[in-house]
Amino acid sequence: MKKGLFISIEGPDGSGKSTQIAALKEYFEQKGMDVVLTREPGGTAISEKIREIILDKNNQEMDDMTEALLYAAARAQHVAQIIKPALMAGRTVICDRFIDSSIAYQGYGRQLGDCVRIINEYAVRGCMPDITFLLKMDPKIGKSRIRDEEQDRLELEKLEFHQRVYEGYVEMEKAFNRIVGIDAARSIQEISADIIAQIEAVLQEDGRNRNDL
Ligand code: TMP
């Protein structure tokens, strides 16, 4: 049985995930909790190699299903090698993107539909986040925050793609209690105070002092 808290952070490109993840890590560390910070696609040597293939701007010919399967493959390795062992050891895992990114980007963005969820159920084998923060920001604003030359293969997709991704996220937020929408069009401090308040509530509800784990 997993003992640690598993948190994932989601949102459109340019929604400020990295800044919020750093603030959350600091919050847990100040509480003396053992935190593992990781990301997708990536987090292991094998998954980082898959990341390079997926995001390479030169791989324009990549088939959408290949893309979905590569994200799922990177995730399967990440869960098996990093996330599951850390949770079993009672550590807190903060993951920059997880399964919801695939459902939003490949399911809605690429319009592959529900097969993306099914593929990923095999990849994660029941290892799902306890709470997911969705940083909500107009994808147009998010995209404009990343310089053209810094955009990877996915970020370079046209605005309509990113709008479908965002619609997917909003639908998932409505469907799953696990996903907490956060208004990301505010100051960095306001956003992180909001996230931390939600985490405090989860820790209290949990009925366990996770410092003891
Ligand atoms: P990052 O820029 O947040 O590191 O993510 C890399 C890109 O990959 C980003 O554009 C979102 C995209 N992505 C997917 O399309 N599907 C996935 O499952 C994941 C994890 C990311």
Side-chain angles (χ1 to χ4, degrees), residues 103-104 108 134 163-173:
I103 297 173
Y108 288 82
L134 169 60
Q163 270 156 349
R164 285 197 299 274
V165 169
Y166 192 65
E167 280 161 25
Y169 271 136
V170 172
E171 275 191 36
M172 283 192 278
E173 181 200 355

Side-chain angles (χ1 to χ4, degrees), residues 1-2 7 42 44 54 74 76 90 123 125 127 146 152 164 166 173:
M1 205 185 81
K2 90 178 165 65
I7 302 163
T44 73
I54 304 174
R125 284 156 285 182
C127 184
I146 312 165
D152 60 41
R164 285 197 299 274
Y166 192 65
E173 181 200 355

